[in-house]
């Protein structure tokens, strides 16, 4: 997916996703939150992927920019938006970071477009504190992006089954997975990679029953006990080796002492004779 295409697609979808009024910031924020989920589930593939990668700011910031008079070229940068108390201002930077992530979409686009060479240039110019702040911001982005990725993966899983998202019961989903598994099973002439992908998607959509949860917990407990026993056995074997080595060393010392004592005794008796 090209970065510029994703940004363009997200911007094109924003009019349908959000309605922002200059005098209704709180309503706009609530609408934005609901719209992000809707875009991930119902938006085009490019829009859903853009929101997943860059966060909700890629959709909301252009709308806020229109209200505040920020150009389309600069609207994805937090610093371009006026502060709350300024003319046309809707949010302070701290509000933007809290709602849309510590790294604005423009920075993420720049990071991706710059590649490894661009990253190395930036690192050379950063102080230790700036690098620490950068790492923390990236960790925050990764955690939130992973959450959005899970939603996108669930959407893909529903599409893979050919069932509208959320339209079927757990029983129906299990039956659909079973049919798809028979179709894709390698032993039945199916594709091994797609069959493996199906197994991964199954974990996203099927909620385990109480009996399955109990069975998994029991298996986890048994594996944990086996691991502890194996570790204890290895520790005991190592200790026995050390004890045997220590015993052999003591025996060698005793043999050396005996040999030395016998030699001295024989020499003494020979002298007396």
């Amino acid at each position: 997916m090209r970065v510029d295409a994703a940004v363009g697609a997200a911007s094109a979808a924003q009019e349908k996703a959000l309605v922002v009024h200059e005098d209704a910031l709180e309503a706009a924020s609530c609408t934005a939150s609901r719209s992000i989920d809707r875009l991930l589930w119902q938006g085009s593939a490019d829009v859903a992927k853009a929101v997943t990668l860059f966060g909700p700011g890629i959709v909301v910031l252009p709308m806020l920019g229109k209200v505040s008079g920020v150009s389309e070229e600069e609207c994805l940068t937090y610093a371009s938006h006026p502060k709350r108390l300024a003319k046309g201002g809707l949010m302070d930077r701290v509000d933007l970071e809290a709602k849309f992530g510590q790294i604005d979409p423009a920075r993420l686009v720049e990071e991706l477009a710059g590649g490894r060479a661009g990253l190395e240039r930036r690192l050379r110019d950063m102080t230790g504190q700036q690098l620490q702040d950068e790492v923390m911001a990236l960790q925050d982005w990764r955690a939130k992006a992973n959450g959005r990725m899970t939603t996108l993966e669930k959407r893909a899983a529903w599409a893979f089954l050919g069932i509208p998202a959320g339209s079927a019961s757990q029983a129906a989903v299990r039956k659909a997975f079973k049919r798809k598994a028979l179709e894709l099973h390698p032993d039945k002439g199916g594709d091994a990679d797609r069959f493996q992908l199906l197994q991964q998607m199954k974990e996203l959509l099927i909620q385990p029953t109480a009996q399955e949860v109990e069975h998994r917990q029991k298996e986890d407990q048994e594996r944990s006990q086996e691991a502890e026993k194996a570790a204890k056995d290895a520790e005991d074997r190592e200790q026995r080796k050390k004890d045997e080595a220590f015993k052999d060393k003591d025996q060698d010392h005793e043999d050396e002492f005996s040999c030395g004592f016998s030699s001295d005794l024989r020499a003494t008796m020979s002298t007396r004779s």
Side-chain angles (χ1 to χ4, degrees):
M1 177 187 67
R2 291 174 53 85
V3 172
D4 52 354
V7 174
S11 299
Q14 63 195 6
E15 293 289 351
K16 297 180 181 179
L18 301 173
V19 177
V20 179
H21 302 285
E22 190 171 2
D23 59 347
L25 176 59
E26 291 304 319
S29 298
C30 294
T31 302
S33 179
R34 293 192 299 269
S35 298
I36 298 309
D37 283 340
R38 189 171 69 178
L39 285 172
L40 289 175
W41 282 106
Q42 302 175 5
S44 68
D46 282 343
V47 169
K49 286 185 286 188
V51 172
T52 298
L53 179 59
F54 298 107
I58 201 168
V59 172
V60 182
L61 289 173
M63 297 303 296
L64 297 180
K66 284 188 176 182
V67 172
S68 302
V70 180
S71 67
E72 292 184 2
E73 292 77 14
E74 299 179 341
C75 66
L76 295 180
T77 304
Y78 292 155
S80 300
H81 291 262
K83 295 182 179 180
R84 185 189 296 269
L85 297 180
K87 182 180 179 180
L90 297 174
M91 295 185 187
D92 291 327
R93 181 173 183 124
V94 65
D95 301 318
L96 294 172
E97 290 182 355
K99 293 180 181 297
F100 310 129
Q102 297 180 29
I103 302 180
D104 59 42
R107 274 273 310 284
L108 291 172
V109 172
E110 182 182 354
E111 291 281 354
L112 293 174
R116 184 181 182 87
L119 177 60
E120 291 177 349
R121 284 195 300 270
R122 288 191 65 247
L123 290 176
R124 285 196 298 268
D125 297 334
M126 293 173 67
T127 65
Q129 183 60 48
Q130 289 174 331
L131 179 58
Q132 182 178 350
D133 294 341
E134 179 91 350
V135 170
M136 292 179 64
L138 287 172
Q139 288 175 340
D140 174 74
W141 165 78
R142 183 178 64 180
K144 293 176 179 177
N146 283 339
R148 295 189 293 266
M149 179 63 73
T150 298
T151 299
L152 194 63
E153 288 174 342
K154 287 182 178 180
R155 170 180 169 175
W158 284 105
F160 194 72
L161 285 179
I163 301 176
S167 64
S169 64
Q170 284 288 296
V173 172
R174 289 175 182 273
K175 289 181 180 178
F177 267 111
K178 187 174 182 179
R179 287 195 300 270
K180 201 72 173 178
L182 291 174
E183 174 187 335
L184 297 177
H185 199 288
D187 293 345
K188 303 292 184 180
D191 186 280
D193 292 336
R194 288 172 63 83
F195 180 76
Q196 181 61 35
L197 180 62
L198 179 68
Q199 302 309 308
Q200 297 173 1
M201 291 182 172
K202 182 178 180 180
E203 298 179 359
L204 291 170
L205 297 186
I206 292 185
Q207 300 174 0
T209 63
Q211 183 177 2
E212 289 173 338
V213 170
E214 183 179 355
H215 181 66
R216 289 181 184 178
Q217 290 176 343
K218 184 178 179 181
E219 287 184 338
D220 291 342
Q221 185 178 7
E222 290 175 351
R223 281 194 294 267
S224 178
Q225 291 174 347
E226 289 176 357
E228 290 178 1
K229 184 177 182 301
K232 183 65 168 58
D233 291 344
E235 184 179 348
D236 291 343
R237 286 194 299 270
E238 187 65 24
Q239 187 60 47
R240 283 196 296 270
K241 289 180 181 179
K242 291 181 179 179
D243 293 343
E244 290 173 359
F246 184 75
K247 184 178 179 180
D248 292 342
K249 187 175 181 181
D250 284 349
Q251 185 63 47
D252 291 340
H253 288 165
E254 290 179 3
D255 292 343
E256 290 175 3
F257 177 77
S258 299
C259 290
F261 180 77
S262 299
S263 298
D264 293 342
L265 180 59
R266 285 195 297 270
T268 301
M269 291 178 69
S270 177
T271 302
R272 291 181 179 180
S273 299

